[in-house]
Amino acid sequence: SNNEAAVIKTGAGDMGSEFWPDVAPKTVENFKTLAKKGFYDGTAFHRIIKGFMIQGGDPLTKDEAQQNRWGTGDPGYKIKAEFNERSHKRGVISMARSQDPDSAGSQFFICHGDPTFLDRQYTAFGKLIKGDDVLEKLATCETARQDRQARPVKRQGVESVKIVDRATIKYPRRAGSPATQHGGRGTPHPPYFFHGCGNPPGHSHGARGPWLYPGPVPGKGRPIASTQPATGRRDGAPPA
């Protein structure tokens, strides 16, 4: 039903999101199903890049002892991509994935800037109708800048995600001008799943497997890598 919405309760406050079942019906249904089962309760936003997005929805973030695996979790299955014409603007909610278009599961991200280069490559399925101020607090928290995952220094937890009647959510949402993309230091990594050794795709790898990236840097035509020996870059910017 398009009369339903999500309330994402965090330590920084509540965010309310409408859904777009007209363009991403399966994705919306998957998110609702997981939320109603309490799947997202107790998770955290594990990857935050100011001016780009905040990423969460990984069940492994419920366990601090699993930090080295954060970003790899899913519900045990994948869903088909539903790429559409809705643009990735501030407040839009979309599904994180690997290079495989049909690899999304539970991880999602909320745009802080206007990363329109993700359009038609990631499944946008809703948008905030309340809590832009909360998004701002989360997206501007302190992060470990040397960390290739842009992990928050202080845990940014999700207490719960509830599916409610949309009419119960008050509408006003601050327009907010787009923040500077990644502090002006270049195009950041799109939201991704990863596992393994930290090398770009296509390399020869061992048992742990390669990192999984969704695609090339816009206009560069080559894979994004968070750490490359040739550049030593560890800040999430594309290689020079």
Side-chain angles (χ1 to χ4, degrees):
S1 169
N2 205 24
N3 295 322
E4 292 183 317
V7 173
I8 304 171
K9 185 177 182 62
T10 78
D14 296 355
M15 294 181 286
S17 174
E18 66 181 4
F19 292 117
W20 294 338
D22 54 322
V23 296
K26 299 296 185 182
T27 303
V28 169
E29 188 57 35
N30 178 66
F31 186 90
K32 288 181 179 179
T33 298
L34 292 174
K36 289 175 180 178
K37 293 193 298 186
F39 183 90
Y40 293 117
D41 300 359
T43 59
F45 288 104
H46 64 276
R47 182 169 179 256
I48 294 178
I49 300 177
K50 178 182 176 182
F52 183 28
M53 57 89 230
I54 62 175
Q55 183 174 339
D58 182 350
L60 297 178
T61 60
K62 296 179 182 182
D63 185 358
E64 291 288 333
Q66 296 279 348
Q67 282 197 38
N68 65 332
R69 297 182 60 205
W70 287 5
T72 67
D74 59 36
Y77 60 83
K78 309 295 185 185
I79 60 175
K80 290 282 187 179
E82 293 180 302
F83 303 154
N84 55 70
E85 296 301 313
R86 299 295 177 94
S87 189
H88 285 76
K89 301 286 189 177
R90 182 178 176 124
V92 166
I93 302 183
S94 190
M95 295 299 290
R97 65 171 179 84
S98 72
Q99 283 185 314
D100 180 353
D102 300 326
S103 58
S106 61
Q107 291 191 50
F108 64 92
F109 62 97
I110 305 176
C111 299
H112 181 231
D114 290 344
T116 55
F117 64 91
L118 301 180
D119 291 356
R120 295 175 295 280
Q121 299 182 66
Y122 290 78
T123 301
F125 66 97
K127 187 174 184 179
L128 295 187
I129 54 177
K130 177 185 178 182
D132 183 78
D133 58 327
V134 177
L135 171 62
E136 183 69 15
K137 290 177 185 176
L138 293 169
T140 56
C141 74
E142 182 182 1
T143 57
R145 301 299 296 179
Q146 77 279 8
D147 188 336
R148 62 192 173 191
Q149 299 174 49
R151 186 168 296 162
V153 172
K154 180 181 178 181
R155 181 180 176 85
Q156 302 299 324
V158 174
E159 296 178 22
S160 66
V161 177
K162 303 295 184 186
I163 305 303
V164 302
D165 186 330
R166 177 176 168 153
T168 64
I169 297 181
K170 302 299 180 182
Y171 253 85
R173 184 179 77 86
R174 182 172 64 82
S177 58
T180 301
Q181 283 279 328
H182 196 43
R185 295 190 296 167
T187 305
H189 297 321
Y192 57 82
F193 291 117
F194 66 86
H195 61 94
C197 60
N199 291 315
H203 73 287
S204 177
H205 59 83
R208 291 189 300 169
W211 277 62
L212 300 181
Y213 296 91
V217 178
K220 298 286 187 179
R222 63 177 185 263
I224 300 170
S226 60
T227 303
Q228 286 192 354
T231 64
R233 298 294 296 274
R234 298 184 63 85
D235 59 6

